């Protein structure tokens, strides 16, 4: 695991950065997730680090890298999202503010165990997007703005790289027997899936509605068909990942690397590490 600090220039990136703009808007909604969840993950993991046995040196080291990687991810997504806000989608901001407030609520009122289970749930969920971007989205990424594609691929490749950390921390600190630890992990996973999906669905609905203003009913139907095709591509690997995640024997360490992930990360080997 490495902390990489690539520099992206989003000044020329367009909100409709992919030829299928419904696909781009779905991921523009998705880009608000890391902007708000990852600062929350960092705070959760800082608390976890303080609670973790100092003898667990390997996990302490990995947590340190995890925290720095997530900080880089959210920084880049915030810059990308700013460009969206400035491009006529400032209506995203109230949705994002409400979503961010929910994370502050989790930090203030929920247990460390809940926050760790939620964090692990999000990390497990990300496996679906990693596989989709590297293996199932070729038709949607053809002809897309390279900065947007690069942002997602860099981020998701690092999500693959640090896939074990939240899982290991949750198991180290759950404080429960293995059976309760398993069921509570599932609770965290399904809670995260529902919470995050509700946010992205609301935001995607806003973006789509804005873009469909002034369209004829026929154009709207065509647009909805394209949106459905993009959603179908994401679901291609979702069931396989879901079956693995809900298994009591789920081990993210054993998750095979999607096609091209390892090679992709090698591109960034020489990028200076963050301080
Ligand atoms: Fe991330
Ligand atoms: Fe992550």
């Amino acid at each position: 695991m490495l902390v990489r600090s690539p520099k992206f220039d989003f000044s020329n990136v367009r909100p409709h950065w992919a030829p299928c703009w419904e696909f781009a808007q779905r991921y523009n909604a998705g880009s608000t997730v890391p902007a708000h969840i990852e600062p929350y993950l960092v705070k959760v993991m800082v608390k976890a680090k303080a609670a973790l046995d100092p003898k667990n040196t390997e996990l302490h080291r990995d947590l340190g890298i995890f925290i720095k990687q997530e900080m880089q991810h959210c920084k880049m997504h915030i810059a990308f999202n700013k460009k969206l806000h400035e491009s006529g989608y400032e209506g995203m901001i109230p949705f994002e503010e409400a979503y961010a407030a929910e994370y502050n609520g989790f930090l203030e009122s929920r247990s460390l165990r809940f926050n760790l289970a939620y964090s692990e749930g999000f990390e497990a969920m990300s496996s679906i997007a990693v596989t989709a971007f590297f293996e199932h989205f070729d038709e949607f990424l053809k002809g897309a703005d390279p900065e947007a594609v690069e942002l997602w691929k860099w981020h998701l490749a690092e999500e693959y790289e640090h896939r074990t950390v939240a899982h290991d921390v949750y198991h180290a600190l759950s404080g429960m027997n293995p059976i309760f630890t398993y069921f509570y992990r599932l609770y965290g996973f399904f809670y995260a899936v529902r919470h995050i999906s509700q946010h992205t669905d609301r935001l995607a609905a806003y973006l789509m509605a804005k873009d469909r203003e002034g369209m004829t009913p026929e154009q709207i139907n065509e647009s909805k068909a394209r949106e459905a095709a993009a959603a179908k591509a994401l679901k291609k690997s979702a069931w396989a990942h879901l079956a693995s995640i809900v298994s009591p024997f789920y081990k993210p360490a054993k998750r095979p690397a999607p096609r091209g992930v390892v090679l992709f990360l090698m591109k960034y080997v020489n990028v200076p590490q963050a301080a």
Side-chain angles (χ1 to χ4, degrees):
M1 276 167 56
L2 273 181
V3 182
R4 303 170 186 84
S5 316
K7 300 278 174 272
F8 293 111
D9 176 7
F10 299 123
S11 52
N12 293 318
V13 88
R14 300 164 298 165
H16 291 184
W17 50 268
C20 172
W21 63 258
E22 294 84 356
F23 170 84
Q25 289 289 42
R26 189 77 222 178
Y27 283 89
N28 291 342
S31 179
T32 66
V33 174
H36 301 291
I37 200 175
E38 293 189 339
Y40 156 81
L41 291 181
V42 166
K43 288 174 193 153
V44 173
M45 294 305 161
V46 166
K47 284 189 191 185
K49 217 169 179 311
L52 191 65
D53 187 339
K55 285 187 201 134
N56 204 338
T57 49
E58 218 171 290
L59 193 49
H60 269 284
R61 182 204 59 207
D62 289 350
L63 253 176
I65 299 173
F66 176 98
I67 288 168
K68 286 181 178 172
Q69 283 191 339
E70 298 296 22
M71 281 163 66
Q72 292 301 319
H73 300 165
C74 75
K75 227 195 274 178
M76 289 301 143
H77 280 273
I78 287 168
F80 180 86
N81 299 346
K82 189 168 176 270
K83 176 75 183 170
L84 299 176
H85 301 157
E86 290 166 359
S87 305
Y89 298 102
E90 64 285 346
M92 294 170 76
I93 296 169
F95 291 96
E96 294 185 58
E97 285 173 347
Y99 180 54
E102 285 162 5
Y103 286 121
N104 288 334
F106 290 169
L107 289 166
E108 279 163 22
S109 63
R110 304 298 297 254
S111 65
L112 179 60
R113 181 190 291 154
F114 169 85
N115 286 306
L116 288 173
Y118 182 99
S119 301
E120 161 53 9
F122 166 68
E123 291 289 314
M125 264 176 94
S126 73
S127 62
I128 300 168
V130 182
T131 302
F133 258 87
F134 280 89
E135 296 192 0
H136 301 307
F137 282 172
D138 290 355
E139 65 176 294
F140 295 100
L141 301 179
K142 207 171 159 193
D145 292 354
E147 297 84 357
V149 178
E150 202 69 9
L151 168 69
W152 277 110
K153 285 198 166 178
W154 158 73
H155 181 177
L156 291 169
E158 288 195 350
E159 288 301 318
Y160 175 77
E161 191 180 42
H162 73 215
R163 67 197 178 282
T164 61
V165 180
H167 187 267
D168 291 350
V169 173
Y170 167 69
H171 283 87
L173 295 176
S174 88
M176 296 183 293
N177 70 45
I179 294 170
F180 280 100
T181 299
Y182 165 66
F183 282 107
Y184 199 80
R185 177 176 71 77
L186 290 191
Y187 164 67
F189 172 71
F190 286 110
Y191 194 105
V193 169
R194 186 165 176 270
H195 181 239
I196 295 166
S197 305
Q198 277 177 344
H199 165 71
T200 52
D201 286 350
R202 272 194 291 261
L203 203 42
Y206 155 76
L207 294 168
M208 302 289 177
K210 190 150 176 60
D211 288 349
R212 287 173 185 151
E213 279 170 8
M215 280 188 180
T216 63
E218 197 188 11
Q219 286 169 329
I220 291 174
N221 284 339
E222 286 168 4
S223 172
K224 284 186 177 170
R226 288 192 298 271
E227 187 185 352
K232 202 173 157 199
L234 176 69
K235 284 180 187 149
K236 263 187 192 163
S237 66
W239 289 112
H241 278 299
L242 195 62
S244 157
I245 292 164
V246 299
S247 161
F249 309 108
Y250 172 61
K251 289 270 180 285
K254 290 188 186 160
R255 198 197 300 156
R259 187 189 70 216
V261 164
V262 176
L263 204 63
F264 185 88
L265 283 175
M266 284 167 70
K267 275 202 319 188
Y268 287 101
V269 155
N270 294 324
V271 171
Q273 296 197 13

